[in-house]
C-alpha cells in the first residue's frame, strides 16, 4: 500500500529533475516518479499543486544538547523544530555531556531519536577522547556504532601531532573528518571580529588569522594524510580563497558556511546585540561578499545553520559574557531560498547545497529523490510569506537574530521514511 | 545609540559619548561649571536630588571613581547605596539580572555601574525599569564617559576652546575605555587633530576609523601638541606578551620633561589615574608645572554632579544652556 504526492514541482538536483511530477512511495522508500509503477496501490494521496517538492533537508551541524544540556534543548524538541523547517536529517555534533566518544552515547542518541520518530538523527563522533585534543577516540568502534564522521566540535586541537595522527587514523576507517578552523591562542577571550566595529565597542577581537592559520595547518595535514575532510564554518575571504586553492589542487576537501554569516556582518553587533554573537564571528562586508561568491562558485558547496540552541539566560548577559551561537533549524530553508531571490543561486543549486551536497560529505543515502532511496521529502509553498517571531519557534532555543524578518517560502509537508511527520494545518 | 536619550533629546542614561552632539556635551560642561563652586563652600551641598536613591554598583574594584561618584551624590543630597559585587560572586549564582531586580525593588532611581565586560552598561540600561537611569562608570574596554567629560572640562578650563587644539593620547589604547571615550568627546567638541601614540601591540586595529592619527614614536607624536593625555599601563600587559618590560616601556614611551619639550610651551599633561610613576610618567612631569592631574580629580566631582542631575531630570539652571 503506497503513498503518492501529486502535482508538485519536483526539484531533485542529484538527478537534474526540475519539473511537475508525481512521487510514489512504498514501505518508506521512493518507488517511482511520474506515472505510478506497475502494481502500485495507492492508499494515501497528497495533492500539492503549486508547491515545490524536494529531498528533505540535511542540517550538517546541529548541537542537539542531549545528553547533558537538556536545559538548552532536547533531541525531541529539536527534531520537531527540524521537520517544521523541512529538515529530515540532523547531523548532531559530539559536544554533548558526556561527549560522543563511546558507542554507548551513540546508541543513547539513536534511541532517543528513535523514540521521538521525527527527523533522522545521525551522529558525529568525537575525534579525541573527551574532545580534549590529546588522545584519539575509538574511531573504529564509533563507526561501527553508526557514527557518520568524526569531529572535535568547537574545541580546536592545539597539538599538531595529535591532529596529524587523528587524520591518519580517521582515514584508516574511511571516516570524514570535520575541522573547525580557529587558533585557540588567537581566539582567547575573543568576542567579535577584530575590526573597526570591535575596536569602537571595545570588544576583544578575533583576527582573520585565527581562522587562516589553523586552516593552513589543517589543509597541509589533509594533503599529507589523504583523509576526506570537511571545513566547518568559513568566515573570511582569505579562508574561502585557501579552500578554493586546496580543491583546485585536488584535495578531498569540502566546506560549509553558516547561513547567518551570509546575511549579517560586524555592523550587526553595533548595539551589543548578543543574538549576533557567533563562532566564528560576523566579519566585514568584504568577507560576506567573498563567502557569497564562494557559495556561488561552489567552493562552499554546503550551507548549514550551525544550529546552537540556548536557554534565555545564556544570552541574557553583556555581549562578551553571552554564549555564542544561533538557533537556526527553522531558518535553514528560508535563508537558503533568499539566496535564490537575491540571484546568487538557482533553485536547483540552492536545494542541492542543503540536501545532496551535505549527504555527500558523509556518504549518506539521503539527499535525493532517486527510486530506491528513503522517502525523506520536503514540500514547501515557495510564494507564502511569513514573519519570524519568538512565539513561532518550535526549537527550545529562541536565540536568533532573525526575529522580525519577513521570509518567503514555507514548509507545508515533511515526510521521513514516507511517513508524514509535519503538516502545515492551513496549507 | 538613542538608548541614552529621551524622546525630547535629554539625557536618560549616560552610557557612552558616541552618538551625543556638541550642544549636549557643552551643556554637561556648563552644568559642571556651576557645581565647581559647591565644593569650595562651607556647606558643600545643594538639594537638587533630595529624596532620590542612587546605587553605586561596582563589579570591578575602584577607589577613586567610586569615591567621586559618592561625593557627587552626597553633594546633590541624594541617598547613596554602595554595593561591591565581585564578578566571581555573580558567576557563582545570582545573575546580573537578579542583582538589578533586587536593587529596583529597593526603589533606586539610578545605578552607577562599573563592570569588566564591554557593553555591560548598555545591557543593564536596556533591562532596567523605565524610572531608572544608568550611568556607566566604566565597562570593559568600551567606555568611561564621565572620565572623558571631566578631561574635557579640564581642557576647556585651561584652553577655553577646542577648535584649534592638537591632543595626543599616549599609552595602552588597546585596553583603554577612557581613551575610546576621550576620542569621541574630543572629536565631537571639534578638536581638529587627535593623535594616539603607542607601540603597535597596544594600538587596536582600525582605530584610525575613529578619526585619529596613529604614531608609534613618542617624539613625533608629542610635537607641538597642546594637550597630552597619558594612559595607565597595567602590569598584566607584560604577562600577556604585549610588552617586554616596564623598564623598556618607560625608555621609549615614558613621559619625561625632556620628551615633553617638543610639545607646545603651554602644554598641559593629564592622566586618568592611578599613575605608575616611572612606568608611563616621570615624577618630574607628574608633579611639574604642566601637570593638571590633581585638578582632574576635583573636576570629576562636578562633572558627575552634572551628569547625575541631568539624568534625573533636575539640573540647575545654566546660563545660555542648550541641548
Amino acid at each position: 500500500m503506497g503513498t503518492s504526492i501529486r502535482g508538485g514541482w519536483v526539484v531533485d538536483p542529484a538527478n537534474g529533475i526540475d519539473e511537475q511530477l508525481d512521487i510514489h512511495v512504498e514501505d518508506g522508500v521512493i518507488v517511482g516518479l511520474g506515472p505510478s509503477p506497475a502494481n502500485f496501490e495507492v492508499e494515501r494521496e497528497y495533492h500539492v499543486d503549486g508547491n515545490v517538492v524536494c529531498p528533505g533537508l540535511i542540517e550538517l551541524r546541529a548541537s542537539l544538547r542531549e545528553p547533558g544540556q537538556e536545559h538548552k534543548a532536547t533531541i525531541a524538541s529539536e527534531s520537531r523544530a527540524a521537520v517544521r523547517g523541512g529538515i529530515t536529517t540532523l547531523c548532531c555534533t559530539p559536544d554533548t555531556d558526556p561527549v560522543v566518544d563511546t558507542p554507548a552515547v551513540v546508541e543513547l542518541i539513536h534511541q532517543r531519536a528513535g523514540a521521538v520518530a521525527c527527523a533522522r538523527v545521525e551522529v558525529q563522533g568525537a575525534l579525541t577522547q573527551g574532545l580534549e585534543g590529546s588522545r584519539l577516540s575509538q574511531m573504529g568502534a564509533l563507526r561501527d556504532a553508526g557514527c557518520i564522521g568524526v569531529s572535535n566540535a568547537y574545541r580546536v586541537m592545539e597539538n599538531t601531532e595529535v591532529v596529524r595522527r587523528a587524520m591518519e587514523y580517521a582515514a584508516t576507517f574511511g571516516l570524514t573528518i570535520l575541522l573547525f578552523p580557529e587558533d585557540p591562542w588567537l581566539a582567547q577571550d575573543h568576542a567579535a571580529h577584530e575590526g573597526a566595529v570591535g575596536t569602537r565597542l571595545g570588544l576583544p577581537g578575533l583576527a582573520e588569522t585565527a581562522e587562516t592559520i589553523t586552516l593552513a595547518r589543517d589543509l597541509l595535514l589533509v594533503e599529507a594524510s589523504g583523509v576526506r575532510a570537511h571545513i566547518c564554518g568559513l568566515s573570511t575571504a582569505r579562508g574561502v580563497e585557501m579552500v578554493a586553492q586546496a580543491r583546485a589542487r585536488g584535495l578531498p576537501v569540502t566546506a560549509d558556511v553558516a547561513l547567518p554569516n551570509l546575511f549579517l556582518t560586524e555592523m550587526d553587533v553595533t548595539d551589543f546585540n548578543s543574538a549576533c554573537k557567533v563562532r566564528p564571528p560576523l566579519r566585514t562586508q568584504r568577507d560576506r561578499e567573498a563567502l557569497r561568491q564562494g557559495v556561488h562558485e561552489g567552493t562552499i558547496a554546503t550551507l548549514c545553520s550551525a544550529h546552537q540552541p540556548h536557554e534565555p539566560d545564556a544570552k541574557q548577559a553583556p555581549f562578551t559574557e553571552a554564549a555564542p551561537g544561533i538557533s537556526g533549524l527553522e531558518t535553514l530553508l528560508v535563508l537558503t531560498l533568499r539566496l535564490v531571490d537575491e540571484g546568487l543561486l538557482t533553485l536547483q543549486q540552492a536545494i542541492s547545497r542543503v540536501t545532496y551536497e551535505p549527504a555527500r560529505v558523509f556518504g549518506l543515502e539521503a539527499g535525493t529523490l532517486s527510486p530506491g532511496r528513503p522517502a525523506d521529502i520536503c514540500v514547501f509553498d515557495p510564494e507564502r510569506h511569513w514573519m519570524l517571531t519568538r512565539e513561532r519557534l518550535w526549537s527550545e532555543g529562541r536565540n536568533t537574530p532573525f526575529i522580525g524578518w519577513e521570509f518567503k517560502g514555507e514548509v507545508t509537508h515533511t515526510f521521513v521514511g514516507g511517513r508524514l511527520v509535519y503538516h502545515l494545518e492551513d496549507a | 545609540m538613542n538608548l541614552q536619550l529621551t524622546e525630547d533629546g535629554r539625557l536618560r542614561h549616560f552610557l557612552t559619548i558616541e552618538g551625543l552632539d556638541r550642544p549636549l556635551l557643552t551643556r554637561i560642561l556648563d552644568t559642571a561649571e556651576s557645581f565647581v563652586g559647591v565644593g569650595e563652600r562651607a556647606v558643600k551641598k545643594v538639594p537638587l536630588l533630595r529624596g532620590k536613591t542612587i546605587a553605586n554598583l561596582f563589579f570591578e574594584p575602584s577607589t577613586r571613581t567610586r569615591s567621586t561618584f559618592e561625593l557627587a551624590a552626597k553633594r546633590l543630597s541624594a541617598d547613596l547605596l554602595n554595593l561591591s559585587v565581585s564578578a566571581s560572586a555573580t558567576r557563582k549564582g545570582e545573575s546580573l539580572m537578579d542583582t538589578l531586580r533586587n536593587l529596583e525593588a529597593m526603589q533606586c532611581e539610578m545605578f552607577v555601574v562599573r563592570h569588566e565586560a564591554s557593553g555591560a552598561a548598555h545591557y543593564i540600561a536596556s533591562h532596567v525599569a523605565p524610572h531608572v537611569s544608568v550611568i556607566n562608570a566604566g565597562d570593559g574596554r568600551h567606555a568611561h564617559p564621565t572620565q572623558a567629560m571631566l578631561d574635557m572640562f579640564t581642557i576647556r578650563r585651561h584652553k577655553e576652546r577646542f577648535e584649534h587644539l592638537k591632543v595626543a593620547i599616549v599609552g595602552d589604547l588597546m585596553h583603554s575605555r577612557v581613551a575610546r571615550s576621550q576620542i569621541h568627546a574630543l572629536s565631537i567638541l571639534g578638536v581638529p587633530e587627535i593623535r594616539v601614540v603607542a607601540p603597535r601591540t597596544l594600538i587596536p586595529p582600525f582605530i584610525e576609523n575613529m578619526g585619529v592619527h596613529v604614531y608609534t614614536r613618542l617624539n613625533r607624536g608629542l610635537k607641538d601638541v597642546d594637550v597630552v593625555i597619558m594612559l595607565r599601563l597595567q602590569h598584566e600587559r607584560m604577562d600577556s606578551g604585549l610588552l617586554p618590560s616596564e623598564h623598556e616601556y618607560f625608555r621609549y614611551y615614558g613621559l619625561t620633561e625632556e620628551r615633553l619639550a617638543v610639545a607646545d610651551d603651554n602644554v598641559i599633561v593629564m592622566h586618568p589615574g592611578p599613575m605608575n610613576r616611572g612606568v608611563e610618567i616621570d615624577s618630574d612631569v607628574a608633579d611639574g608645572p604642566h601637570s593638571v592631574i590633581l585638578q582632574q580629580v576635583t573636576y570629576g566631582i562636578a562633572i558627575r554632579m552634572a551628569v547625575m542631575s541631568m539624568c534625573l531630570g533636575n539640573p540647575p539652571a545654566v546660563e545660555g544652556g542648550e541641548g
Side-chain angles (χ1 to χ4, degrees):
Chain A
M1 297 299 249
T3 302
S4 293
I5 302 166
R6 295 195 185 275
W9 190 271
V10 177
V11 177
D12 182 17
N15 296 306
I17 297 172
D18 195 355
E19 60 185 302
Q20 195 172 16
L21 283 175
D22 296 346
I23 296 185
H24 310 286
V25 173
E26 200 162 33
D27 296 329
V29 171
I30 294 170
V31 291
L33 278 73
S36 37
N39 304 325
F40 184 77
E41 286 180 46
V42 180
E43 184 189 28
R44 227 175 250 153
E45 282 187 327
Y46 297 94
H47 291 274
V48 296
D49 299 57
N51 288 359
V52 173
V53 180
C54 67
L57 274 58
I58 299 171
E59 168 58 42
L60 257 176
R61 295 192 279 127
S63 295
L64 297 185
R65 309 302 194 195
E66 188 178 354
Q69 291 187 297
E70 290 85 352
H71 62 291
K72 291 186 185 289
T74 61
I75 290 170
S77 68
E78 302 319 286
S79 304
R80 289 192 197 102
V83 295
R84 207 267 185 99
I87 298 166
T88 52
T89 302
L90 288 166
C91 302
C92 80
T93 51
D95 50 348
T96 47
D97 181 17
V99 301
V100 186
D101 58 2
T102 58
V105 184
V106 184
E107 278 164 33
L108 174 79
I109 293 172
H110 279 150
Q111 260 173 27
R112 293 279 159 86
V116 181
C118 216
R120 293 179 201 275
V121 176
E122 300 288 358
V123 183
Q124 299 170 15
L127 190 58
T128 58
Q129 293 179 29
L131 300 177
E132 281 171 5
S134 46
R135 298 169 61 116
L136 301 187
S137 68
Q138 313 163 46
M139 292 182 219
L142 289 171
R143 183 198 61 181
D144 292 344
C147 282
I148 53 168
V150 278
S151 145
N152 225 48
Y154 291 92
R155 300 268 296 273
V156 178
M157 293 172 287
E158 283 179 46
N159 186 328
T160 314
E161 175 70 2
V162 175
V163 181
R164 175 190 170 195
R165 299 304 179 198
M167 287 184 184
E168 290 170 353
Y169 197 70
T172 307
F173 291 94
L175 284 163
T176 297
I177 186 169
L178 289 93
L179 298 161
F180 177 68
E182 183 187 270
D183 183 278
W185 293 97
L186 294 178
Q188 252 177 350
D189 59 53
H190 79 291
H193 171 64
E194 184 181 280
V197 176
T199 287
R200 196 158 48 78
L201 297 179
L203 296 172
L206 193 73
E208 176 191 271
T209 47
E211 173 168 306
T212 50
I213 284 172
T214 304
L215 185 56
R217 175 195 78 174
D218 290 353
L219 289 173
L220 291 167
L221 292 173
V222 166
E223 187 163 14
S225 66
V227 71
R228 166 86 192 76
H230 177 79
I231 308 297
C232 301
L234 284 175
S235 71
T236 66
R238 190 86 177 85
V240 178
E241 196 183 306
M242 290 164 72
V243 169
Q245 284 165 358
R247 286 167 59 89
R249 280 212 315 282
L251 265 63
V253 173
T254 50
D256 72 57
V257 61
L259 281 158
N261 293 67
L262 295 180
F263 291 94
L264 307 172
T265 66
E266 57 173 348
M267 293 305 290
D268 290 285
V269 307
T270 294
D271 58 349
F272 294 106
N273 182 3
S274 66
C276 290
K277 185 173 178 184
V278 282
R279 268 176 85 185
L282 300 171
R283 298 192 187 266
T284 64
Q285 182 86 20
R286 194 184 132 261
D287 291 310
R288 187 179 74 173
E289 293 317 311
L291 289 166
R292 285 180 162 233
Q293 193 58 27
V295 170
H296 175 72
E297 288 168 0
T299 301
I300 301 172
T302 54
L303 300 171
C304 71
S305 71
H307 180 64
Q308 287 181 283
H310 284 294
E311 78 283 19
D313 279 354
K315 289 283 187 183
Q316 284 288 341
F319 190 88
T320 51
E321 296 177 359
I326 288 174
S327 175
L329 297 179
E330 287 155 270
T331 47
L332 176 65
L333 176 66
V334 284
L335 286 174
T336 303
L337 292 176
R338 199 174 259 244
L339 297 175
V340 180
D341 271 351
E342 293 175 7
L344 190 74
L345 297 173
T346 64
L347 183 61
Q348 283 266 338
Q349 290 170 328
I351 298 289
S352 177
R353 277 158 176 62
V354 287
T355 58
Y356 180 57
E357 293 293 348
R360 292 215 307 167
V361 168
F362 296 115
L364 301 176
E365 276 204 305
T368 92
L369 298 174
S370 307
R373 294 299 176 90
D376 296 353
I377 300 167
C378 164
V379 183
F380 65 91
D381 176 346
E383 297 302 327
R384 210 177 156 104
H385 288 262
W386 58 281
M387 191 175 80
L388 184 65
T389 60
R390 214 166 287 281
E391 299 70 37
R392 191 190 185 279
L393 285 163
W394 281 13
S395 168
E396 277 297 306
R398 310 287 204 272
N399 49 303
T400 163
F402 297 108
I403 299 287
W405 282 45
E406 291 265 3
F407 291 111
K408 196 174 123 195
E410 182 161 25
V411 175
T412 58
H413 304 72
T414 306
F415 298 87
V416 173
R419 207 164 48 83
L420 183 70
V421 289
Y422 173 74
H423 180 217
L424 180 66
E425 288 307 325
D426 60 344
Chain B
M1 306 227 183
N2 289 329
L3 180 61
Q4 51 185 351
L5 296 179
T6 60
E7 275 177 22
D8 54 353
R10 288 181 307 109
L11 267 189
R12 181 183 161 203
H13 305 294
F14 195 50
L15 309 173
T16 174
I17 305 283
E18 189 183 0
L20 302 180
D21 60 11
R22 196 185 298 192
L24 184 57
L25 297 193
T26 305
R27 185 168 167 79
I28 294 173
L29 297 177
D30 292 343
T31 307
E33 200 70 59
S34 77
F35 284 128
V36 170
V38 174
E40 288 151 15
R41 299 203 303 240
V43 178
K44 298 181 173 60
K45 278 203 178 196
V46 288
L48 292 170
L49 298 186
R50 181 172 291 155
K52 303 278 188 187
T53 307
I54 296 174
N56 253 344
L57 191 54
F58 277 59
F59 293 87
E60 217 181 52
S62 151
T63 6
R64 201 177 25 183
T65 300
R66 180 181 158 144
S67 324
T68 53
F69 271 109
E70 189 169 343
L71 272 176
K74 287 180 175 163
R75 287 187 185 169
L76 291 165
S77 310
D79 295 318
L80 184 87
L81 193 61
N82 256 323
L83 283 161
S84 295
V85 199
S86 80
S88 62
T90 53
R91 279 198 200 104
K92 271 178 207 153
E94 196 178 57
S95 75
L96 187 51
M97 278 317 296
D98 292 333
T99 311
L100 295 178
R101 293 286 168 257
N102 273 298
L103 287 168
E104 278 175 9
M106 294 177 206
Q107 269 126 30
C108 293
E109 276 96 357
M110 173 176 278
F111 299 153
V112 178
V113 182
R114 170 168 288 191
H115 198 284
E116 63 184 352
S118 299
H122 277 81
Y123 171 77
I124 291 168
S126 51
H127 288 85
V128 290
H131 68 280
V132 177
S133 286
V134 176
I135 293 185
N136 185 3
D139 63 324
R141 306 175 182 185
H142 172 236
H144 193 353
T146 59
Q147 175 70 44
M149 287 314 292
L150 76 88
D151 296 332
M152 298 309 113
F153 189 84
T154 310
I155 292 172
R156 194 174 76 165
R157 278 227 150 186
H158 287 271
K159 302 287 174 190
E160 284 179 34
R161 300 181 60 77
F162 292 95
E163 290 87 345
H164 63 279
L165 296 180
K166 292 188 179 72
V167 178
I169 305 172
V170 182
D172 184 3
L173 287 119
M174 178 76 84
H175 302 90
S176 180
R177 53 193 171 213
V178 174
R180 284 176 175 79
S181 286
Q182 285 166 340
I183 291 168
H184 286 303
L186 289 167
S187 78
I188 291 165
L189 288 169
V191 170
E193 188 169 344
I194 308 167
R195 304 174 182 180
V196 298
V197 188
R200 288 276 304 273
T201 48
L202 299 181
I203 295 178
F206 301 100
I207 193 161
E208 57 278 9
N209 287 20
M210 292 177 73
V212 301
H213 302 274
V214 176
Y215 289 78
T216 52
R217 294 200 190 167
L218 190 57
N219 61 342
R220 292 190 189 168
L222 292 185
K223 182 114 178 66
D224 300 328
V225 296
D226 303 289
V227 178
V228 181
I229 301 173
M230 300 303 295
L231 299 173
R232 175 178 166 75
L233 186 77
Q234 309 271 3
H235 300 291
E236 299 94 90
R237 308 303 168 226
M238 274 30 89
D239 302 329
S240 44
L242 292 166
L243 291 174
S245 70
E246 291 179 344
H247 179 75
E248 174 148 318
Y249 184 76
F250 184 71
R251 183 169 163 194
Y252 293 99
Y253 295 95
L255 188 64
T256 60
E257 285 286 359
E258 191 191 346
R259 295 224 174 88
L260 194 59
V262 299
D264 184 81
D265 292 341
N266 297 314
V267 66
I268 58 170
V269 175
M270 299 166 60
H271 192 301
M275 282 183 286
N276 294 308
R277 290 166 184 264
V279 178
E280 70 259 3
I281 191 164
D282 192 65
S283 282
D284 287 349
V285 179
D287 307 326
H290 297 286
S291 168
V292 297
I293 294 168
L294 286 176
Q295 291 171 36
Q296 288 176 267
V297 182
T298 312
Y299 298 151
I301 301 165
I303 280 289
R304 279 153 190 149
M305 288 171 79
V307 172
M308 283 172 158
S309 59
M310 287 168 74
C311 282
L312 289 180
N314 201 9
V318 172
E319 267 177 63
E322 55 196 309

